[in-house]
Structures are given as C-alpha cells and as structure tokens.
Amino acid sequence: MFTATLIAADGLAEGDVSTAADRLARAGCAPSAHRWIDRGVAADIAFAVDPAAARGALEGVFARTDVVVQPTEGREKALLVADMDSTMITVECIDELADYAGIKAQVAEVTERAMRGELDFEGALDARVALLAGLDEGAIDRCLAERVRIMPGAHALVGTMRSRGATAILVSGGFTRFAEPVARTIGFDRAIANVLSIADGRLTGQVARPIVGAATKEETLRATAAARGLPLARTLAVGDGANDLPMVRAAGLGVAYRAKPVVAAAAAARIEHGDLTALLYAQGIARADWSPSPG
C-alpha cells in the first residue's frame, strides 16, 4: 500500500481531499481510506498501486499544497540527513560572508550556478573561498549573529524526530564555523562541514581537504544507516542544491526543499509551499505529537 499526503500552506477543505481521492481513482491508483493528520492542514489518502501516476494526478492541482507520495510501510523515518544552507537556515552562508568583503554579487552568482549543477562543486567552492582571502576572521561571527536565521519548522522537525528515537545529522558543503553552532541550536546529533583555513586572524582563501560535498553527504547517509542497522527505506534526506542529489536519491524519502530545478525534478518529494514541518506530516505525525528541539 501507498500513502498520498496533502499538506496545505493556506488550508485544506474536506472537498479537496475528496477531489484528490477522485483523481487517484481516475488515474487507476485504487484509493481507499483517507484521514486527517491535522484537520484543515494535512491529510492522508491510502491507495493500492502506481505511485508515479498518483504524483502525476495530485501535484500542482491544489493551490499552495505540497504532495508527498510514498510506501505506507516505514513512512516514519529513523535517520534524518539534512543540508544546511537554504534548507535548515534561510541563507547561503558563503554569499553572506562575501558581503562583508564587498563581493556578494560576484560570489552569489557562482553559488547559484553550482547549486543548479552547472559548475563542479569543489572547483566552485575553491574559487569562491579564494575570493575571501584576507577577510578578517571576525566577519564569521558577525555573519553568524547578523545574517543566519533558522528555517521555520527546523526545530520541530529535528526535535520531534529525535524525541521518537531518530538520529539527525547536518551535512553541509559550507563551513564548520556556521554548521556547528547551527546544529547545536536546532538540536542535531552532529554536524559535518568544510573547514576554512585561517592564519593570523584572517581567511587564507583555502579550504581544508577533503572537501565535504555530494559524495560525503551520500556516504554519511549510507554509513549511518548501516551503523544503526537501518534499511535505507527508513531514512530521510532533505536539501535544495545539486550537491544534495546523491543523498536525496539514496534515501528512503528524498525531499527537495524549495529546491533548484535539477533537484526538484529528481527528488521523490518536493516541498515548495510549507515549512520544514511538512516533513513531519509526510511521516504521519500530527502537531499534537511534535516536540521542541532537544537541548
């Protein structure tokens, strides 16, 4: 059996759920029962066959409503591996750090192309960091305090999953000086990210090797699942850029969160309208059962 979950940013009516069930029936998916997870916000519809047809029948049909289609068994996940920039936080840290050097537009253009998959990630990272050579180290802490904001729903997502026994790991192609405090604030078990080289209180323009990129993200997902004895079906990966694609494809539920087109096209689920709590609804977890982030 499969489950289609409708998650509405602006409200969901009973008639919308009935319409969705009708569309599944016309697509040959053999829908059966439906239930509210939280009335007016999120609902599940069970169906028997053809998840690809179900996505085609439901995605983009209801205004500001995200749709997640997945196998019913194992939908609650025991491992979360998440990207940081533009996923768990609202900004791209390297772009904001570049603003303190007066070169944000130049760096942001490269970031955008790399996240779209148009540039090699490692080469693009080296090129951007090289432009920051000589920047005062203090700009990192200023940027963290002044620019970095936690994405809505991040605390609830991580806190709830961990309270229910899941492991949560933040894996970023960004930098430890941002990822580690962000991970602590949100409540992740640990953070993995790149290390900026600093000498005499200034950035050298280099990044320590090996680079944390797409391969690291996928390997973290696979290795952690194996260490915990989890099938990949019990894993959740979420990200927005091309360097997230391997882990998104490998996960039991791979989610493109307000993502670049190349990621949105490849992911099993897309969240465009809701915040990160949509990933709790995707697991069938109602608001009454959400938890604050573990301390």
Side-chain angles (χ1 to χ4, degrees):
M1 292 295 292
F2 301 91
T3 299
T5 306
L6 306 181
I7 307 156
D10 296 332
L12 193 66
E14 187 75 48
D16 295 327
V17 181
S18 296
T19 297
D22 290 343
R23 292 183 66 88
L24 289 174
R26 289 196 297 271
C29 300
S32 52
H34 64 265
R35 73 175 186 101
W36 287 105
I37 303 173
D38 275 326
R39 185 169 292 276
V41 180
D44 281 343
I45 306 171
F47 66 98
V49 294
D50 206 341
R55 286 187 68 179
L58 298 179
E59 287 183 338
V61 172
F62 305 98
R64 289 183 49 75
T65 297
D66 295 308
V67 176
V68 177
V69 173
Q70 61 185 318
T72 303
E73 185 176 357
R75 67 184 292 202
E76 184 170 344
K77 307 306 183 187
L79 172 63
L80 167 67
V81 179
D83 174 47
M84 180 176 72
D85 295 76
S86 297
T87 303
M88 288 291 145
I89 62 175
T90 61
V91 297
E92 294 284 337
C93 288
I94 193 167
D95 296 355
E96 300 306 316
L97 193 58
D99 202 18
Y100 291 87
I103 54 172
K104 181 176 180 177
Q106 183 179 353
V107 169
E109 180 183 5
V110 179
T111 300
E112 176 70 13
R113 292 186 64 197
M115 292 303 98
R116 287 180 173 273
E118 298 169 4
L119 299 174
D120 170 70
F121 176 80
E122 186 168 324
L125 182 65
D126 281 336
R128 287 174 290 165
V129 172
L131 293 171
L132 300 178
L135 182 65
D136 191 293
E137 179 185 8
I140 297 173
D141 291 332
R142 284 184 60 198
C143 184
L144 183 63
E146 297 172 357
R147 306 289 181 90
V148 174
R149 297 294 179 265
I150 304 302
M151 189 70 73
H155 286 99
L157 172 63
V158 174
T160 300
M161 290 188 66
R162 287 191 64 199
S163 74
R164 297 166 76 94
T167 298
I169 303 176
L170 187 69
V171 188
S172 174
F175 310 116
T176 54
R177 291 285 294 270
F178 295 101
E180 290 174 353
V182 164
R184 286 194 298 270
T185 297
I186 297 175
F188 281 89
D189 289 282
R190 61 190 176 106
I192 301 169
N194 290 300
V195 178
L196 281 169
S197 176
I198 297 170
D200 299 321
R202 296 190 177 275
L203 276 66
T204 67
Q206 297 179 321
V207 182
R209 263 42 186 181
I211 293 289
V212 174
T216 308
K217 294 187 177 196
E218 180 184 7
E219 177 56 25
T220 298
L221 178 85
R222 292 185 182 276
T224 307
R228 286 204 52 192
L230 297 172
L232 288 175
R234 295 290 312 283
T235 67
L236 167 62
V238 58
D240 75 303
N243 62 325
D244 298 312
L245 267 174
M247 74 169 181
V248 165
R249 286 176 171 143
L253 181 62
V255 179
Y257 184 75
R258 302 180 186 179
K260 301 299 184 284
V262 66
V263 186
R270 297 189 291 268
I271 302 300
E272 296 289 344
H273 307 293
D275 64 25
L276 286 167
T277 60
L279 303 188
L280 293 174
Y281 285 129
Q283 296 177 74
I285 305 171
R287 181 180 291 272
D289 297 320
W290 297 355
S291 300
S293 180

